[in-house]
Amino acid sequence: MNARPPRKPRDPVDGVLLLDKPVGLSSNDALMKAKRVFNAKKAGHTGTLDPFATGLLPLCFGEATKFSQDLLEADKTYEATVHLGIMTTTGDTEGEVIEEREVDVTREQIEAALARFRGPISQVPPMYSALKRDGKALYEYAREGITLEREARPVTIHGLSLVDYQAPHLKILVTCSKGTYVRVLGEDIGAALGCGAHLNALRRVQVGSLSTERMITLEDLQAHPDPLSLLAPVDALLSSFPSVELTLELAKRFLNGQRLALGKEAVTVPSEMGRVRVYHEGKLLGTANLQEYAILAPERLIAAAQ
């Protein structure tokens, strides 16, 4: 029997890819396809998009995976189409229709309903979700016909605007905090209007400070002659944090995990305390917490910088 040829070693790839996830593909499947293109050692995504959803899925490779949690915590913006008058088991197009109602609402009624959902609200997570109960995902219970009690969770709708209304389709733009289920928001808007609803389409257009500007489809990625050129640098994930530039000696100490008293050094320090990006000669060294008295405490370090 012929032995299998040895598997090609994975490559050390660092950076961020802004993928335009297609409809019908899970976030993890999209990640695996992109990872194969780069033959990357390590990769992860920064927050799941449902299979029926499309749009911005930032993928982190190598050292960028250390900072992916920041995007999981970030606010996100979506374009959504709410189909009024039809309710489904899942709250979106993947479920079965469970009820239909007549739709007779005006733009003024829609605007009044949307106003009720701006700001801090409480949301009951859907049964068709990946949240766990006793080690089992809620959607697994739902597929068995079991409905469990779920506690409402606080989320914040930072922005909610009406883009277009051509009955029965209602297009909205939503900017929300982490943990928000836009399909539940769509259902709740339908309930507030008295006709019910489900989410017909969902497209993510912003995650934190990342937008669709450099987004690329899987097809274009797979066909690109130099896919590495499509990667944004690791610090694309950290652009919202102020930066600190260290001297060579301070950079060495920082990369050894030492806390630095920057008040005694010839270093420009941001005016506010909190998380910062740390550089030497324009090269990212990692992140740190800038504390009282200009103390710089290392947080996550870039191995390649050492």
Side-chain angles (χ1 to χ4, degrees), residues 85-198:
I86 296 179
M87 287 154 280
T88 71
T89 52
T90 58
D92 56 32
T93 57
E94 297 192 315
E96 298 177 1
V97 174
I98 53 177
E99 188 177 352
E100 296 189 38
R101 297 178 187 170
E102 184 180 350
V103 177
D104 183 20
V105 297
T106 65
R107 291 182 72 98
E108 290 73 20
Q109 289 172 318
I110 291 169
E111 291 285 9
L114 295 184
R116 294 168 52 181
F117 295 97
R118 297 187 185 110
I121 64 171
S122 292
Q123 224 184 36
V124 177
M127 277 301 300
Y128 281 89
S129 69
L131 294 176
K132 297 286 182 68
R133 180 76 61 86
D134 297 329
K136 185 175 177 180
L138 290 184
Y139 67 79
E140 294 183 69
Y141 290 104
R143 288 171 180 170
E144 296 170 4
I146 300 171
T147 300
L148 302 177
E149 289 291 324
R150 288 99 63 207
E151 287 189 11
R153 304 190 306 178
V155 297
T156 302
I157 308 299
H158 299 290
L160 177 58
S161 58
L162 175 61
V163 176
D164 188 35
Y165 177 52
Q166 301 291 331
H169 295 118
L170 172 67
K171 292 186 178 181
I172 55 176
L173 185 68
V174 185
T175 299
C176 53
S177 65
K178 71 163 187 172
T180 303
Y181 288 92
V182 181
R183 56 194 160 100
V184 172
L185 178 63
E187 288 181 303
D188 290 345
I189 291 170
L193 291 169
C195 58
H198 73 279

Side-chain angles (χ1 to χ4, degrees), residues 12 20 26 47 56 74 81-82 85-86 106 110 125-126 140 149 180 202 204 207 225 230 237 285 296 301 303:
D20 186 353
S26 74
L56 183 59
T81 300
V82 181
I86 296 179
T106 65
I110 291 169
E140 294 183 69
E149 289 291 324
T180 303
L202 181 65
R204 189 158 66 191
V207 178
L230 302 173
L237 300 175
L285 307 181
L296 191 70
L301 304 180

